[in-house]
Amino acid sequence: MTFPVASPALPLLKRARAPTPDELQGIPWLAALQPDERERVVDDLRVAQVGAGELLCRVGRPATFWFGVIDGLLKMSNDTALGVPITFTGMPPGGWFGEGTVLKREVYRYNIQALRKSLVAGLGVETFHWLLGHSIPFNRFVMQQLNERLGQFIGAREIDRMSDPDVRVARSLAALFHPTLYPGVGSLLRITQQELGYLVGLSRQRVNLALRNLQERGCIRIEYGGVRVLDLQALREYLPQ
DNA sequence: TCATTAAATTGTT
DNA sequence: AACAATTTAATGA
């Protein structure tokens, strides 16, 4: 399948609604807030569904939201406005992103595209800044987030340079199972082999082979429409035989 | 709730 | 890229 054509950038406001209690439950940093802070945030939070191929934010657009993935899978591509240098990162449930640009009230530096139909939450820039000024735990969360993601991007560049497909799949998967960055993933990541191939830059067939190799080694278990991690450490350190 | 059908995903060549 | 096999989702009685 060819990837769906991107629709022109998206107003997340459209078709947005208030988050359900269940969805709030899955937002990791909410629990760290004081009741009054929490109230204001919940009031401002909006969730919206984005279709496969839709762009959430585009390089150069002014940052208006801090985004989080409730459900689904996004692709974050870090290409310069001029073009080539690319790194891809998957954005599974539980991931929040855009803080770097929202912090400085700049423009987005990434393209964020939905790999499949996804549920996304957005917190307005103003509220984001208000929180930074009021909650120390929130500041900690954001700092840790920035730090971890930096590590992710450095790792992603290394993955790009590696030639062995099995290793690339293993490392990319390990990154998606990052417990701090993507707490919503748990031990079962909902991702099709097609989507994984699109992220890693391999054909679906090759991904299928790689996954079965990884399963053979006891790192993962292949499930319909997803992958379950059995041994995250082994996945990180996977080497071809 | 169950049976049937369509759609999505996987396994294989 | 194509095809068959398998699994899930949707439909309607």
Side-chain angles (χ1 to χ4, degrees):
Chain A
M1 141 202 156
T2 48
F3 203 70
V5 182
S7 63
L10 98 75
L12 181 64
L13 296 283
K14 229 169 20 175
R15 265 183 351 209
R17 55 167 172 77
T20 68
D22 193 47
E23 289 160 353
L24 291 177
Q25 191 65 35
I27 299 179
W29 45 270
L30 266 186
L33 303 185
Q34 300 293 322
D36 60 316
E37 298 164 342
R38 189 185 156 95
E39 188 185 358
R40 172 159 177 175
V41 166
V42 169
D43 207 47
D44 186 55
L45 272 174
R46 287 291 172 273
V47 303
Q49 199 164 68
V50 294
E54 266 188 87
L55 273 180
L56 257 188
C57 45
R58 179 172 244 159
V59 171
R61 295 282 175 136
T64 47
F65 286 103
W66 185 48
F67 290 111
V69 184
I70 305 271
D71 188 49
L73 188 64
L74 310 184
K75 184 195 74 172
M76 182 184 227
S77 59
N78 175 16
D79 36 28
T80 64
L82 297 180
V84 203
I86 315 174
T87 47
F88 289 131
T89 306
M91 264 295 182
W96 284 78
F97 57 93
E99 63 278 343
T101 56
V102 172
L103 259 178
K104 296 189 274 186
R105 298 179 187 268
E106 284 179 341
V107 296
Y108 289 116
R109 288 182 304 223
Y110 315 112
N111 286 319
I112 306 282
Q113 195 175 18
L115 233 40
R116 67 154 171 269
K117 189 162 84 171
S118 303
L119 208 54
V120 176
L123 185 69
V125 191
E126 298 311 320
T127 309
F128 180 84
H129 276 96
W130 180 83
L131 258 188
L132 282 179
H134 283 78
S135 171
I136 297 211
F138 187 72
N139 277 271
R140 283 210 198 89
F141 178 88
V142 171
M143 259 193 277
Q144 181 184 339
Q145 190 86 356
L146 282 168
N147 188 42
E148 301 276 8
R149 196 179 313 293
L150 179 62
Q152 287 273 83
F153 270 113
I154 291 172
R157 295 201 57 177
E158 286 173 13
I159 293 173
D160 278 341
R161 280 197 287 272
M162 291 186 278
S163 49
D164 187 81
D166 289 10
V167 178
R168 293 182 51 143
V169 171
R171 301 274 183 111
S172 300
L173 266 183
L176 290 176
F177 279 106
H178 194 297
T180 316
L181 241 28
Y182 314 123
V185 173
S187 72
L188 174 65
L189 174 67
R190 299 265 311 159
I191 189 174
T192 66
Q193 300 179 1
Q194 174 76 69
E195 291 163 342
L196 194 50
Y198 193 74
L199 270 183
V200 185
L202 296 170
S203 69
R204 181 176 73 76
Q205 290 87 335
R206 192 58 188 79
V207 168
N208 180 264
L209 178 59
L211 286 180
R212 280 182 293 116
N213 287 339
L214 295 179
Q215 180 171 246
E216 191 64 29
R217 294 258 207 116
C219 301
I220 62 168
R221 185 164 69 230
I222 302 172
E223 300 198 3
Y224 185 87
V227 175
R228 185 177 298 279
V229 203
L230 301 180
D231 188 343
L232 183 53
Q233 198 55 36
L235 199 56
R236 290 203 184 100
E237 296 164 355
Y238 182 91
L239 288 174
Q241 284 181 330

